[in-house]
Amino acid sequence: MAAEMALVKPISKFSSNLRPKFNTPRTVSYSIRMSATPTTTPTSTKPSKKPNKTSIKETLLTPRFYTTDFDEMETLFNTEINKNLNEAEFEALLQEFKTDYNQTHFVRNKEFKEAADKLDGPLRQIFVEFLERSCTAEFSGFLLYKELGRRLKKTNPVVAEIFSLMSRDEARHAGFLNKGLSDFNLALDLGFLTKARKYTFFKPKFIFYATYLSEKIGYWRYITIYRHLKTNPEYQCYPIFKYFENWCQDENRHGDFFSALMKAQPQFLNDWKAKLWSRFFCLSVYVTMYLNDCQRTDFYEGIGLNTKEFDMHVIIETNRTTARIFPAVLDVENPEFKRKLDRMVVINEKILAVGESDDNSLVKNLKRIPLIAALVSELLAAYLMPPIESGSVDFAEFEPRLVY
Amino acid sequence: MLGMGTLTLGSSTTMVAHTTLTSSNTLSGTKRHNLFNKTHSLPINFTLFSSFNKLTMPLTPFTTAVASVQSDSVSSSDAPPTKNELSKYYFLVANAKFMLDEEEHFQEQLFERRRYYGERNKEQDFWLVIEPKFLDSFPEITKRLRRPAVALVSTNGPWITFMKLRLDRVLAQSFEAESLEEALASNPTNLKFEKPDNWVAPYPKYESGWWETFLPPGQKEVNS
């Protein structure tokens, strides 16, 4: 689960403070740095706050941890209740995950420490934050998949094992990133994260939409960075990028599994509500990524990318991939869509500037109100742009007449 | 159980009748026959997991195969073919532009699998076949294909099922053949894809011709 979905908060009657009992992974014995706040701009005259271990400050765009209705999940994947489960497809996926293409690949070498020692100044700080956020996002995927694997074991052993194998992949990714942080004399206390973070509740339906998108957009982000750096090695500032080619195939396969999950629940794909939710999640994921990346444009420019061009490429390709399963997607190639994203970036920058000003909290909140209203207005307008009808050929009424 | 291919087709698809391909073992003179007589060793333990044995027929090793050029016209022999001489092949097929030019992740997956097989000393069990001859046995599929067509063929049924899920815009089926050479026979075709007018990705396109690595032995294509 490579991408972040911070803006996604569908209305739910359940408390977002629900804290399921997850198994606590072994604590890493490194000095701990817990930072979830955006990087302060170099021009800020305000002294930076000392990192606070005991509370994690979350902003609008912080990576989130997720939990779900596990009882409903069990009902959805009970083969006696749900006759739509395509067992051949899940068996095929299980074989694919058991193959474990990356079992021997995420092995570090001395290049890592050498490269880290050469990184100094602002780029070092920016890079550390990239590792932290990526590690947190991968770890949140690990927790969710591991719990689903545990809870579905009796109901549907095949689906349960696939979730467990996906959590293996995510744990491997998170571990690799955390070891990278050790090159910078830092480490995330993943055990602490498990207990201390607030969990966002998502119904299973939303887990499917959101997680599918997260995995597919993760594939496109990693493969784009990898292919760019392969042809521009002068920007290869840290060896972790060399592993992105193999890494991103894990993300892509995870997305395929969520395709199969959604196909097994046609009610999530075949009516007007499904189309509205599909578009909602596309918008949320794309906007979150665009705002996050533009906020950290120094990182992407530091590795030789144009941030907005990178993001638009990722959005267009992710949207094209998503059109193979979601019943409707956004028209992201309409130039108006990018213009709206760029206006949101400007609004977001102003919101951040208000937060960093010296005003008291009451004045800050008053100043934020019109900015948030403007952001909501742009989001709504983007959502209401005419969508593109889409979906798997397996569900297309016109399939017998399709030419391949 | 019906062939794996039928399970991967959408429910609204017209069901394609399962066809068994057999080759007439016509000899045409000792001298000419010797020119085409080859020894093939088919993979024996290619099944990755024993739990899938029921989904994949065990293979019997062949030591001799009749040249496929002698069996352009496929005909059934009167006697039922001996079971242990037939292998089952699963395939996905679509137009070549989609598979080889537009779907760049497809290339990544094939190279990943090839690398994995190399690391674990596994025999290759998947190939790309451009303009495959076995399509002649599937008129319902053939009439829905833009040409030139390319097929991904494998003896690993579940993997083809997985690839159908990934690619979506492909047709899937299966057939039986006496030899690998027969199964992977193709009609010569030169592939040439136009450069995209507007390539905006922040990296270059994969080089044309990447698929030659996966063509059956002896069928390397002249890429103009």
Side-chain angles (χ1 to χ4, degrees), chain A residues 327-388:
Chain A
V329 294
L330 303 174
D331 184 4
V332 299
E333 294 187 64
N334 183 331
E336 175 59 22
F337 185 77
K338 181 176 187 297
R339 285 195 288 267
K340 290 191 189 309
L341 288 177
D342 288 332
R343 287 198 289 270
M344 293 182 210
V345 168
V346 173
I347 296 167
N348 190 47
E349 283 168 354
K350 291 176 180 174
I351 292 175
L352 293 172
V354 167
E356 288 160 8
S357 71
D358 294 332
D359 294 319
N360 64 57
S361 61
L362 176 62
V363 174
K364 282 184 183 179
N365 285 335
L366 288 175
K367 285 184 174 176
R368 284 194 181 99
I369 291 173
L371 294 171
I372 291 173
L375 187 61
V376 171
S377 173
E378 291 291 347
L379 284 163
L380 189 61
Y383 184 69
L384 294 176
M385 289 172 65
I388 294 174

Side-chain angles (χ1 to χ4, degrees), chain B residues 75-128:
Chain B
S75 61
S76 303
S77 61
D78 291 326
T82 49
K83 287 263 182 178
N84 63 336
E85 289 182 8
L86 291 175
S87 299
K88 187 157 197 176
Y89 296 87
Y90 305 84
F91 69 90
L92 303 172
V93 66
N95 66 87
K97 180 158 180 61
F98 171 79
M99 295 273 262
L100 307 181
D101 187 57
E102 292 170 0
E103 295 293 288
E104 292 200 310
H105 64 96
F106 180 57
Q107 182 255 50
E108 292 161 14
Q109 275 182 294
L110 297 192
F111 275 100
E112 181 190 47
R113 195 163 178 87
R114 179 171 173 267
R115 186 209 68 239
Y116 171 81
Y117 276 29
E119 287 171 0
R120 285 165 172 74
N121 295 309
K122 289 184 186 298
E123 287 284 333
Q124 182 177 357
D125 64 357
F126 64 97
W127 301 269
L128 288 173

